[in-house]
Amino acid sequence: LAKTTQPISMDSYEGQEVNITCSHNNIATNDYITWYQQFPSQGPRFIIQGYKTKVTNEVASLFIPADRKSSTLSLPRVSLSDTAVYYCLVGVSGRGGSQGNLIFGKGTKLSVKP
Amino acid sequence: NAGVTQTPKFQVLKTGQSMTLQCAQDMNHNSMYWYRQDPGMGLRLIYYSASEGTTDKGEVPNGYNVSRLNKREFSLRLESAAPSQTSVYFCASSEGGGPYGYTFGSGTRLTVV
């Protein structure tokens, strides 16, 4: 299973763009990159998923370079409510078994200040 | 609303007691999972069920058993609770195949004294 490395914590201010980078040097050909958001006392919430290049939805953008050894979650114009832990995961999404479950690390704790 | 429902939300057990955490999903997902989360830690996989009728161990299965009762329900049982099992337990489900993420329940906060 591909291991991921991301910063333990990040600080930002309201209205700024936040970019959280995750490295996954051992990503496999059929692995997807998935990001989750977790607020205190809640389960993680799916934010975005991608395989290569760029993916954008109403919440965030995900940038994946051609070698796929890293990825960057971009949150445009953050607000106080974006304060949460963000997890980067690599695996064959949606599949259990030996094909690879999604493994959660400690994530990046994002603190947004006024 | 569609999603993953966990019961109970809170539970206090004495050491040695047993209990079952219940999880049900109404999204017709094939795969279901049980994670635990300790303070300041990420989530660690306890057991998972890739499809109805199958279960497999995750990272930290010791002290737990699971049952995939049907496609909707996946329960986690603690046969003899220990203080080390004090944690928040999350159930999740996902659709097999394709770029889909996991949907998590709201968690069960378990304290073993």
Side-chain angles (χ1 to χ4, degrees):
Chain A
L1 296 174
K3 181 180 178 181
T4 61
T5 302
Q6 53 183 122
I8 295 296
S9 63
M10 294 182 68
D11 292 330
S12 182
Y13 292 93
E14 282 191 294
Q16 289 187 332
E17 178 184 71
V18 171
N19 295 309
I20 306 175
T21 297
C22 178
S23 65
H24 27 78
N25 292 321
N26 297 321
I27 189 168
T29 302
N30 56 350
D31 283 342
Y32 287 87
I33 300 157
T34 311
W35 286 80
Y36 287 81
Q37 175 192 55
Q38 186 179 27
F39 298 114
S41 302
Q42 295 185 26
R45 181 175 74 102
F46 174 86
I47 299 177
I48 197 167
Q49 187 175 83
Y51 184 80
K52 62 181 179 181
T53 63
K54 176 183 175 182
V55 180
T56 298
N57 61 24
E58 66 278 5
V59 177
S61 294
L62 179 60
F63 299 91
I64 305 168
D67 66 6
R68 305 202 324 124
K69 293 184 182 298
S70 66
S71 59
T72 299
L73 174 72
S74 181
L75 305 172
R77 300 182 59 79
V78 295
S79 64
L80 296 177
S81 63
D82 292 315
T83 294
V85 178
Y86 292 82
Y87 296 95
C88 164
L89 296 92
V90 171
V92 181
S93 178
R95 291 187 184 275
S98 59
Q99 291 179 317
N101 296 294
L102 297 184
I103 303 296
F104 287 77
K106 295 184 180 181
T108 297
K109 186 174 183 179
L110 173 65
S111 297
V112 180
K113 303 174 183 178
Chain B
N1 291 335
V4 177
T5 302
Q6 291 183 235
T7 55
K9 294 189 183 301
F10 301 93
Q11 183 72 48
V12 178
L13 290 179
K14 294 182 179 179
T15 298
Q17 287 185 320
S18 63
M19 79 161 295
T20 300
L21 281 63
Q22 306 288 352
C23 175
Q25 53 92 7
D26 58 5
M27 297 168 286
N28 203 36
H29 284 170
N30 286 315
S31 302
M32 299 185 73
Y33 311 83
W34 277 105
Y35 287 87
R36 63 176 287 175
Q37 185 172 37
D38 300 311
M41 303 289 289
L43 286 81
R44 291 184 291 170
L45 183 64
I46 305 172
Y47 271 94
Y48 63 92
S49 171
S51 60
E52 186 179 357
T54 68
T55 60
D56 285 287
K57 296 178 180 179
E59 300 173 72
V60 288
N62 292 342
Y64 305 95
N65 286 300
V66 291
S67 295
R68 184 72 182 268
L69 304 172
N70 47 55
K71 192 171 186 179
R72 290 187 63 248
E73 299 173 287
F74 188 38
S75 63
L76 178 71
R77 182 163 179 82
L78 286 71
E79 290 292 350
S80 179
S84 61
Q85 294 178 304
T86 293
S87 188
V88 180
Y89 291 84
F90 290 101
C91 177
S93 70
S94 69
E95 182 55 73
Y100 301 109
Y102 288 15
T103 300
F104 281 83
S106 57
T108 294
R109 187 174 295 276
L110 175 67
T111 302
V112 182
V113 297

